[in-house]
Amino acid sequence: MSKLFSNIKIKNLDLKNRIVMAPMCMVVADEQGYANDWHVIHYGTRAIGGTGLIILEATAVESRGRIKSGDLGIWDDSHIEGLKKIVESSKNLGAKIGIQLAHAGRKCQVESEKIIAPSPIAFDNTYPTPEEMTIDDIKTVINSFKEGARRANEAGFDAIEIHGAHGYLINEFLSPLTNKRKDEYGGSLENRVRFLREIIREIKTVWPSNKAIILRVSAEDYVEEGNHPEDLVDIINLVKDEGIDLIDVSSGAVVPANIDVYPGYQVPFAEIIKTGTGLPVIAGGLITEAEMAEEILKNNRADFIFLGRELLRNPYWPLEASKKLNEDIEWPYPYRRAKI
């Protein structure tokens, strides 16, 4: 039996396979962050195609936490209704579904918003310089993540993913390249982790204990003075006992950097984190072939495989992958006569 199509359970997240749809910003919500029919169809199609776990795109816990106007929002109770439609559709079509709770920090590109960050350093010369967050700002954002988790639970999501990657706000606190604070939220690694730890603790007060919490990280900053996979092991080990069940391993985007990308380029980072933390990991990075995904899993380099662009190109990738791996899986009933 192929490992890619084997069942796995984390808390009450019971998955039929190890294929994860990575969160990818679609930028088709309205200016207030509300979901629409496009989202329902987009995610539902990947559920029909056989994806085991869909992780919804970065969904902002504050209006100023959006990356762009058009991002989904979860900063108000009125967002729940639209998100719930996505959840119900995707689950009815056979997938489990999580949501990525996010805050863009200094990488917010919504012109009407005040940009905040741990330190007043712009991402590059095309971005405005953010305002350094006060302690009150920090407390406000932590509470926004808590309220986002509450709304995610009310919408029916099976899991939440805390977005601690790609140079957005949590990642800005974690990286020494972007966190130059002199208070208890900056300096030492323990201090830089404090913001994330407090977010997790607040989320745990509203998120059911039997539902999984995923943490997405940038395992490599691609700059010598930045974080590297071994640093992320230390960071994760400082917070994992707060309630982290699964690590989604990505890399980069904290600062502008030249990155050599190739199929599987992030998998070695996932291996280091899996070994160093003892937690299950999701690995990915330009993976397009079923045989490559199977190799990564069977050699115990990761526990799940995330697909991004490949699932945009081909929402039925899991169905085709099952044939390549000689795995006889059930196709959606209306498509049965097209089964390969």
Side-chain angles (χ1 to χ4, degrees):
M1 180 179 182
S2 71
K3 195 163 184 180
L4 186 63
F5 287 93
S6 64
N7 173 269
I8 187 170
K9 188 173 184 179
I10 297 178
K11 291 190 170 176
N12 73 347
L13 185 64
D14 195 354
L15 301 172
K16 63 185 178 183
N17 61 45
R18 312 296 183 95
I19 301 167
V20 178
M21 181 179 181
M24 293 173 281
C25 292
M26 295 292 105
V27 201
V28 292
D30 67 14
E31 292 183 1
Q32 288 75 45
Y34 291 104
N36 54 49
D37 289 345
W38 193 93
H39 297 94
V40 175
I41 296 167
H42 169 66
Y43 290 109
T45 303
R46 275 74 197 169
I48 292 172
T51 298
L53 174 62
I54 293 168
I55 303 179
L56 217 65
E57 62 203 79
T59 306
V61 298
E62 288 192 321
S63 176
R64 62 183 173 179
R66 291 173 290 170
I67 302 164
K68 294 181 179 179
S69 179
D71 285 350
L72 285 175
I74 196 167
W75 66 80
D76 190 88
D77 284 355
S78 60
H79 288 120
I80 295 172
E81 181 180 359
L83 295 171
K84 191 172 184 179
K85 290 178 181 177
I86 301 170
V87 170
E88 291 176 346
S89 171
S90 296
K91 290 169 78 166
N92 287 339
L93 293 168
K96 296 298 174 67
I97 185 164
I99 184 170
Q100 188 182 70
L101 301 181
H103 196 297
R106 72 175 186 167
K107 294 178 82 174
C108 172
Q109 298 177 59
V110 183
E111 293 183 0
S112 61
E113 298 291 352
K114 182 181 80 169
I115 312 304
I116 58 171
S119 300
I121 307 167
F123 178 71
D124 63 22
N125 59 13
T126 68
Y127 283 77
T129 299
E131 294 186 16
E132 181 170 312
M133 293 171 70
T134 65
I135 296 299
D136 284 343
D137 289 330
I138 289 172
K139 291 178 179 177
T140 296
V141 173
I142 290 170
N143 187 67
S144 295
F145 272 94
K146 170 187 171 181
E147 288 298 292
R150 174 185 62 79
R151 295 181 184 111
N153 186 51
E154 291 183 23
F157 285 97
D158 298 301
I160 54 173
E161 178 171 280
I162 300 170
H163 198 352
H166 300 164
Y168 301 124
L169 187 61
I170 293 174
N171 197 177
E172 291 163 21
F173 273 90
L174 294 176
S175 177
L177 299 172
T178 46
N179 185 345
K180 305 296 183 181
R181 299 177 72 93
K182 304 300 183 183
D183 62 5
E184 65 268 34
Y185 289 94
S188 68
L189 185 142
E190 289 79 5
N191 281 356
R192 287 184 276 120
V193 170
R194 190 183 305 273
F195 182 60
L196 172 59
R197 178 188 287 115
E198 292 179 356
I199 286 172
I200 299 168
R201 285 180 178 174
E202 286 301 303
I203 284 175
K204 289 288 288 182
T205 67
V206 297
W207 185 249
S209 60
N210 64 342
K211 285 189 175 184
I213 297 177
I214 307 166
L215 173 64
R216 192 167 222 202
V217 297
S218 278
E220 176 59 68
D221 287 352
Y222 299 101
V223 174
E224 184 177 352
E225 298 81 9
N227 283 329
H228 307 290
E230 295 76 12
D231 300 303
L232 267 296
V233 167
D234 292 338
I235 287 168
I236 293 164
N237 282 336
L238 284 171
V239 300
K240 67 181 183 181
D241 291 339
E242 302 289 346
I244 299 299
D245 303 296
L246 178 61
I247 306 297
D248 187 357
V249 183
S250 190
S251 67
V254 180
V255 294
N258 292 319
I259 304 173
D260 181 19
V261 299
Y262 51 87
Y265 71 102
Q266 297 174 140
V267 174
F269 307 151
E271 290 184 82
I272 292 169
I273 288 173
K274 178 177 171 63
T275 300
T277 67
L279 289 174
V281 299
I282 312 172
L286 302 185
I287 294 173
T288 60
E289 299 301 323
E291 295 84 356
M292 183 177 184
E294 184 72 3
E295 178 276 318
I296 293 165
L297 295 172
K298 281 203 167 171
N299 282 317
N300 203 32
R301 303 169 73 191
D303 304 275
F304 300 85
I305 302 297
F306 73 73
L307 301 175
R309 287 170 235 187
E310 188 63 16
L311 277 176
L312 296 183
R313 288 186 286 263
N314 181 8
Y316 307 105
W317 187 93
L319 301 181
E320 295 177 4
S322 67
K323 173 63 176 177
K324 292 179 180 179
L325 298 176
N326 297 312
E327 191 70 38
D328 185 17
I329 66 169
E330 185 177 353
W331 277 44
Y333 182 79
Y335 293 177
R336 69 198 185 283
R337 75 200 106 173
K339 188 173 181 179
I340 302 168

